[in-house]
Amino acid sequence: MSKGIGVNVSCEWCLSEAEMGENTVYWELPDGTRAVEITNVPSIICSACGMVYPPDEVTKEIEDQLLLVDTKKITKTIMYTDLLSLPRLLKRNYFDFTS
């Protein structure tokens, strides 16, 4: 269930005014063994087209973190902030050549 927090942004899908909020997302682990539920994820919520999605920066944070932590320590459901606070096995994603 998404909930808005009032910061206005532009929807990438329909270009209407949207707002920042939080949402629950489901993510497959990099090794493909299972999916996890991540709650309270910062998300763009568009009331015009109905899309609810995390911004690209948040998507990258989640993907990088899932590559860098011991995923066996992640329960079936985890809060976004708790995921980001898990200790990393490596300092950064050395396979990401975009930064």
Side-chain angles (χ1 to χ4, degrees):
M1 176 99 200
S2 59
K3 57 182 177 175
I5 56 175
V7 177
N8 291 333
V9 294
S10 180
C11 175
E12 293 180 25
W13 295 91
C14 72
L15 305 178
S16 295
E17 187 174 297
E19 65 178 21
M20 285 301 297
E22 293 179 338
N23 194 39
T24 297
V25 299
Y26 300 88
W27 225 274
E28 184 177 351
L29 296 180
D31 63 5
T33 56
R34 62 189 172 104
V36 294
E37 177 183 60
I38 307 170
T39 61
N40 302 97
V41 176
S43 298
I44 296 170
I45 302 167
C46 181
S47 59
C49 71
M51 290 298 294
V52 179
Y53 58 95
D56 291 342
E57 312 83 54
V58 173
T59 297
K60 183 172 178 1
E61 279 183 321
I62 292 171
E63 289 178 350
D64 283 349
Q65 188 69 351
L66 290 174
L67 281 171
L68 299 173
V69 300
D70 182 359
T71 57
K72 293 178 189 82
K73 295 182 179 182
I74 299 174
T75 58
K76 190 167 93 171
T77 300
I78 188 167
M79 283 182 50
Y80 173 75
T81 53
D82 292 342
L83 173 64
L84 294 185
S85 68
L86 290 174
R88 292 179 167 193
L89 301 173
L90 297 170
K91 291 182 183 180
R92 66 181 192 90
N93 181 357
Y94 294 100
F95 301 103
D96 180 8
F97 301 107
T98 61
S99 49

